[in-house]
Amino acid sequence: MANKQFVVIGLGRFGYSVAKTLYELGNDVLAIDMNEDIVQEISDSVTHAVQLDATDENALRSLGIRNFDVAVVTIGDNIQSSVMATLLVKELGVKFIIAKGQSDLHAKVLYKIGADRVVLPEKDMGVRVAHNLVSANILDYIELSSDYSIMEIQALDEWAGKSLSELRLRSKYGINVMAIKNGEDVNLSPLAEDKIALNDIIVAIGSADDLSKLEGMIVKLN
């Protein structure tokens, strides 16, 4: 799968995390914020960083926003600016829009004006959102520390009918499968001979580097 082009508008803690993670995952990322210091700070961690007012239609149009696959609008406390920026990127032709909401009411407004997905910061960390945007098979990504994380993965078609020993996830990618979930059924500490079904969800733990290798493989297959 070809790398996607993301534009992240608003570089607070959440937006900064989304932009940096998407770039680390190998995507083209344009980061936008009004604050020149933040733009300078993130410039080495994304493809391009630009200081401008995202509620200025002409300024956004000049950046070629319509050519981006995904817009992530994470403007902070200014709900009016958040709504305006979301509306503009929608009208300018961005294919998929994810926006940060401050409340359930704010979320409803964002959906009404064209957001495809709205996240609430209390419920969705930037890193989780970034991983899920890169691949639909990555259902969740939880950082335990700077070194280790847990990833929930929708079983790939290629895995169906194969046992954990056949998949060799530990020897290939250095990760450990903690559980296999299927609906309400959860198989904790699964055995090597346990087989994966098509709708299973794999819960794996590993180092950031090892999980990144696995994620890279999944993205290529999507």
Side-chain angles (χ1 to χ4, degrees), residues 124-144:
D124 295 271
M125 294 187 301
V127 172
R128 291 192 193 183
V129 173
H131 282 269
N132 183 247
L133 280 171
V134 169
S135 173
N137 286 88
I138 308 300
L139 304 179
D140 206 349
Y141 190 95
I142 303 169
E143 288 185 312
L144 299 176

Side-chain angles (χ1 to χ4, degrees), residues 131-132 135-142 149-159 164 167 169 173 175-182 196-206 210-219 221-222:
H131 282 269
N132 183 247
S135 173
N137 286 88
I138 308 300
L139 304 179
D140 206 349
Y141 190 95
I142 303 169
S149 298
I150 292 173
M151 186 185 288
E152 283 196 1
I153 309 156
Q154 179 72 52
L156 302 176
D157 293 347
E158 292 83 355
W159 295 358
L164 290 177
L167 292 174
L169 295 178
Y173 303 103
I175 66 167
N176 291 299
V177 177
M178 300 168 57
I180 301 172
K181 302 196 296 186
N182 192 310
I196 303 298
L198 188 58
N199 294 320
D200 282 349
I201 294 171
I202 311 300
V203 183
I205 186 171
D210 288 335
L211 288 173
S212 180
K213 291 175 188 173
L214 174 62
E215 188 168 20
M217 181 274 291
I218 292 171
V219 168
L221 290 174
N222 282 178

Side-chain angles (χ1 to χ4, degrees), residues 107-118:
K108 286 181 181 178
V109 173
L110 291 169
Y111 277 123
K112 287 280 188 186
I113 62 173
D116 296 284
R117 181 179 172 197
V118 177

Side-chain angles (χ1 to χ4, degrees), residues 55-184:
T55 65
D56 183 335
E57 182 176 356
N58 291 328
L60 284 180
R61 192 187 302 274
S62 70
L63 293 175
I65 290 294
R66 66 184 301 274
N67 297 316
F68 284 81
D69 300 298
V70 181
V72 188
V73 182
T74 62
I75 292 174
D77 297 331
N78 191 328
I79 291 178
Q80 182 176 338
S81 294
S82 163
V83 169
M84 182 62 71
T86 302
L87 185 62
L88 286 176
V89 294
K90 179 71 174 181
E91 290 182 344
L92 290 172
V94 177
K95 302 174 188 71
F96 187 88
I97 302 166
I98 181 170
K100 184 182 79 167
Q102 297 297 325
S103 64
D104 289 338
L105 180 59
H106 185 198
K108 286 181 181 178
V109 173
L110 291 169
Y111 277 123
K112 287 280 188 186
I113 62 173
D116 296 284
R117 181 179 172 197
V118 177
V119 295
L120 300 174
E122 297 79 11
K123 300 176 183 177
D124 295 271
M125 294 187 301
V127 172
R128 291 192 193 183
V129 173
H131 282 269
N132 183 247
L133 280 171
V134 169
S135 173
N137 286 88
I138 308 300
L139 304 179
D140 206 349
Y141 190 95
I142 303 169
E143 288 185 312
L144 299 176
S145 68
S146 58
D147 299 319
Y148 289 95
S149 298
I150 292 173
M151 186 185 288
E152 283 196 1
I153 309 156
Q154 179 72 52
L156 302 176
D157 293 347
E158 292 83 355
W159 295 358
K162 294 181 179 178
S163 66
L164 290 177
S165 61
E166 289 175 304
L167 292 174
R168 296 170 50 232
L169 295 178
R170 181 184 294 180
S171 59
K172 281 185 180 179
Y173 303 103
I175 66 167
N176 291 299
V177 177
M178 300 168 57
I180 301 172
K181 302 196 296 186
N182 192 310
E184 297 298 317

Side-chain angles (χ1 to χ4, degrees), residues 164 177-182 185-191 194-195:
L164 290 177
V177 177
M178 300 168 57
I180 301 172
K181 302 196 296 186
N182 192 310
D185 296 326
V186 181
N187 178 2
L188 293 172
S189 301
L191 304 173
D194 288 342
K195 293 190 174 182

